[in-house]
Structures are given as C-alpha cells and as structure tokens.
C-alpha cells in the first residue's frame, strides 16, 4: 500500500460524496495504490450510512466508527493507528483542504522529506474573528514553545511511515498532532495553498473545542505559562513589599495615616486576580496530568471494516 488518506468525519453528510469523487479523481491520476480511511467521530447525521454505501462499491474505502464524539485530533490518531500506507495524508472532510494538492505533497515528499505540510496562504469564508484568533494563537505558540511549530498550518499534510510509527509511541491523551509532528523532527518542508470555503454543512469546531485545542497545544509543548505565573508572583510580591514599607513610613514616621478604602480594594482585587490566574494555569496542567495518569484508551471503536489484526492497542 503506497498511500493512506485519513479523513475525520463529524456531521459531513453534505460533503462525503463530493470528497470521495474528488479524491478518487486525483488519486487515479497519481497511479499509486491507496486506501481511504473515514473515521466517523460520532456524527449525528447520515455520514456513517453514506460511508458504508461507499465501502460496498469500493474496497479501498475503510471506515472506523467511534462509539461517540471523541474530537478531531483523536479521530486522526485512530486513522493513523490503523493505516497501512507507506505515506499517510491527513485531510479535512469539508474540502477546505483541496485534494488536488495531494500529488504535489506526495512528489515533494519523495524529494527526501518525511513530512510535507500544507501552509495556508489565505483563508476564505471564515469569520474575521476566527482568522484573527488563529493568527494570534499560532504566533503565541511559536514564541513560547522551544520546538518550531509552523505558523498558519493545520493538520493537512503528508507524513511517512517513520513519522506514523513515531506518533504511535507518543501516548499522551491531549493530542496536538501538528505539535507532535514538529517535535518528532526529521526533514520537514511545506507547500503553500489557498484555503477554500467549507463545501457544505457547518463547522464542527465550536469555540470551546478551539480553546481546548489551543490549550492542549500550549500545555503540551510549553511550560511558559507556569513560569509566567511564578514571575508575576515575584513581581506582585515586590510591589507589595514596597507598599508595605510606604504604609509603615506613613503610619509611624509621618503620622499622616489615612484609612484608604480605594487602595485597599485595588490591592485586594489585584492580588486576588493574580492568584486566580496562577491557580488556573496550574489547574490546566494538572487536569492534563490526571488525564494521562488515568490511562484510559484514547477512543472506543464501535465498528470498523479494517481487519482486527491491524488494530493496535489504543494506549499502551
Ligand atoms: N471533526 C471531527 N470531530 C469533531 C469536529 C470536527 O472529526 O469533533 C472533523 C470534521 O468533520 C472535519 C475536520 O474535523 O473533517 C475539521 O473540522 P471543521 O471543518 O469543522 O473545522 P474548521 O475547518 O472549521 O476549523
Ligand atoms: Mg473546516
């Protein structure tokens, strides 16, 4: 098997047929053996039925049906775990990532790279708020992590079997796959593309899912927020110490002591705020730590047409 295409699916009934047609057209012209792995991440619409119809007509179509919605990153992970191709492409189902780029990714990889990711030159049909927060997030992430996670890049990419094997050795629960792939290393490069609008349906990435992904990315690859909490603790204590000296001076030397309600409120609120932020940051790390200690499987498969012998243990 030359190529596995991994497609996470969450309520994509409007896109599955067009996606299948476009992928098949592109891959036929590439002339390599391939499999399409649809990972149904707990869709509530007709997605699974449509995928099963495809499997009846085309033996290259595989599906993995989750017992519930586990999230996009976990869906991709399951696809990687069960893939067999020497190279693996990760692509969104909504046609925002053009299948027509796959041959270029494939050929670029064979110039001697283990990873070729697709970088967004522009994004269409997305709200200004989403574009702005995404831009900001990628830049903050690059500046506070010590590995170089490429900016403006999603999971649309091709990776080699070597990289897939390395990913399988990373058992963390809070997946941030693009970060993991950067961490793995090897020779990596990119191609640029213009990100299209969603073909049909609506985004499955709610704001809360996006915030969780962003926090998984930051906590998984950086301790900078914890250091920030420590430093702000020192800074605030420093300020408090100066204020204490000033208060004592006013009280005992100048004898010009005024009961100060405003300054009291300001310092209490400020200190309270700083403490809550610090505790919250610790909590973000702690909750991920406890998720990893529990060692639950990453996902539960309810049904698949991939032979069970290929099914790797979800977590080891
Ligand atoms: N997706 C998924 N599980 C989820 C949310 C999304 O598998 O909980 C899939 C979705 O079907 C699509 C891909 O992940 O193939 C990207 O999602 P989406 O297009 O909704 O995200 P956006 O492009 O808006 O960031
Ligand atoms: Mg999308």
């Amino acid at each position: 098997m030359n190529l596995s295409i991994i497609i996470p699916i969450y309520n994509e009934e409007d896109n599955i047929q067009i996606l299948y047609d476009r992928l098949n057209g592109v891959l036929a012209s590439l002339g390599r053996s391939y499999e399409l792995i649809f990972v149904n991440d707990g869709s509530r619409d007709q997605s699974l039925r449509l995928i099963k119809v495809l499997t009846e007509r085309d033996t290259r179509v595989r599906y993995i049906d989750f017992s519930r919605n586990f999230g996009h990153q976990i869906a991709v992970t399951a696809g990687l775990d069960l893939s067999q191709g020497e190279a693996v492409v990760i692509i969104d189902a909504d046609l925002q990532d053009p299948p027509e780029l796959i041959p270029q990714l494939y050929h670029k990889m064979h110039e001697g790279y283990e990873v070729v990711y697709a970088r967004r030159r522009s994004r269409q049909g997305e709200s200004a708020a989403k574009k702005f927060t995404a831009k900001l997030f990628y830049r903050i992430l690059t500046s506070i992590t010590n590995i170089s996670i490429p900016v403006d890049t999603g999971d649309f990419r091709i990776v080699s079997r070597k990289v897939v094997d390395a990913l399988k050795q990373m058992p963390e629960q809070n997946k941030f796959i693009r970060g993991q792939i950067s961490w793995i290393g090897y020779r990596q490069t990119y191609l640029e593309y213009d990100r299209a609008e969603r073909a049909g349906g609506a985004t499955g990435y709610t704001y809360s899912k996006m915030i969780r992904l962003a926090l998984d990315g930051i906590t998984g690859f950086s301790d900078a927020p914890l250091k920030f909490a420590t430093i702000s603790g020192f800074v605030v204590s420093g300020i408090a110490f100066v204020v204490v000296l000033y208060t004592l001076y006013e009280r005992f030397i100048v004898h010009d002591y005024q009961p100060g309600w405003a300054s009291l409120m300001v310092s209490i609120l400020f200190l309270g705020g700083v403490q809550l932020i610090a505790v919250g940051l610790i909590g973000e790390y702690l909750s991920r730590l406890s998720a990893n200690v529990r060692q639950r499987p990453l996902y539960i498969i309810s049904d698949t047409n991939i032979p069970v012998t290929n099914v790797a243990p979800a977590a080891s």
Side-chain angles (χ1 to χ4, degrees):
M1 181 85 61
N2 295 131
L3 199 55
S4 300
I5 313 287
I6 295 172
I7 313 145
I9 300 283
Y10 180 60
N11 298 342
E12 301 282 4
E13 60 184 2
D14 295 336
N15 301 321
I16 287 173
Q17 188 61 45
I18 335 169
L19 174 72
Y20 171 79
D21 292 338
R22 271 175 67 180
L23 277 173
N24 257 353
V26 166
L27 293 169
S29 66
L30 189 64
R32 298 289 193 284
S33 60
Y34 64 90
E35 60 178 356
L36 303 178
I37 304 180
F38 289 87
V39 187
N40 180 38
D41 184 18
S43 300
R44 292 162 201 276
D45 63 359
Q46 295 297 310
S47 297
L48 182 64
R49 199 182 55 78
L50 294 175
I51 297 165
K52 284 190 170 166
V53 170
L54 294 178
T55 60
E56 279 155 24
R57 280 191 274 137
D58 186 342
T59 53
R60 292 168 303 198
V61 176
R62 320 245 190 273
Y63 71 90
I64 300 168
D65 182 31
F66 277 178
S67 60
R68 63 170 170 86
N69 178 249
F70 280 92
H72 167 239
Q73 298 286 301
I74 304 291
V76 173
T77 304
L80 290 166
D81 285 347
L82 272 63
S83 67
Q84 288 177 285
E86 288 147 27
V88 178
V89 171
I90 304 168
I91 190 169
D92 281 358
D94 58 4
L95 292 161
Q96 285 196 289
D97 305 332
E100 291 69 27
L101 201 70
I102 293 175
Q104 291 175 46
L105 293 172
Y106 188 81
H107 292 309
K108 189 84 193 170
M109 189 171 92
H110 284 86
E111 286 173 17
Y113 298 95
E114 303 295 328
V115 178
V116 185
Y117 54 88
R119 189 165 155 174
R120 301 157 181 173
R121 196 185 299 128
S122 67
R123 310 173 70 143
Q124 271 138 49
E126 284 175 309
S127 66
K130 177 149 188 171
K131 282 189 218 171
F132 175 74
T133 47
K135 258 206 145 60
L136 188 69
F137 166 66
Y138 286 120
R139 271 141 195 94
I140 291 178
L141 191 65
T142 330
S143 66
I144 66 173
T145 51
N146 31 27
I147 52 164
S148 64
I149 297 173
V151 294
D152 303 329
T153 305
D155 288 318
F156 183 31
R157 59 187 65 205
I158 191 167
V159 300
S160 68
R161 181 56 31 195
K162 260 191 200 169
V163 172
V164 176
D165 288 340
L167 280 172
K168 284 191 194 170
Q169 290 176 38
M170 300 173 80
E172 60 244 54
Q173 298 271 329
N174 305 92
K175 295 278 177 196
F176 186 65
I177 294 168
R178 55 202 90 156
Q180 292 184 299
I181 291 177
S182 299
W183 182 91
I184 288 170
Y186 293 128
R187 266 162 67 79
Q188 310 201 358
T189 188
Y190 67 94
L191 291 176
E192 287 197 317
Y193 75 109
D194 296 301
R195 190 160 167 86
E197 241 174 277
R198 198 168 229 291
T203 176
Y205 256 99
T206 54
Y207 270 100
S208 73
K209 280 183 185 172
M210 272 193 312
I211 291 170
R212 197 178 325 143
L213 181 70
L215 286 175
D216 284 341
I218 291 171
T219 54
F221 294 93
S222 172
D223 289 333
L226 291 175
K227 297 205 177 90
F228 167 78
T230 313
I231 290 166
S232 61
F234 276 111
V235 170
V236 170
S237 307
I239 296 171
F241 183 68
V242 172
V243 174
V244 166
L245 288 183
Y246 173 74
T247 313
L248 291 175
Y249 172 78
E250 289 279 288
R251 178 72 182 80
F252 292 112
I253 298 180
V254 186
H255 294 292
D256 178 24
Y257 186 67
Q258 297 275 337
W261 184 83
S263 56
L264 206 61
M265 280 311 279
V266 168
S267 49
I268 289 174
L269 291 175
F270 181 61
L271 275 176
V274 171
Q275 285 169 357
L276 286 176
I277 291 172
V279 172
L281 288 174
I282 296 168
E284 292 293 336
Y285 284 86
L286 200 63
S287 71
R288 285 165 177 80
L289 190 70
S290 67
N292 283 300
V293 170
R294 271 185 238 123
Q295 293 234 343
R296 291 190 186 147
L298 275 177
Y299 49 84
I300 301 290
I301 295 176
S302 115
D303 186 19
T304 172
N305 66 346
I306 302 177
V308 236
T309 46
N310 297 335
V311 181
S316 52

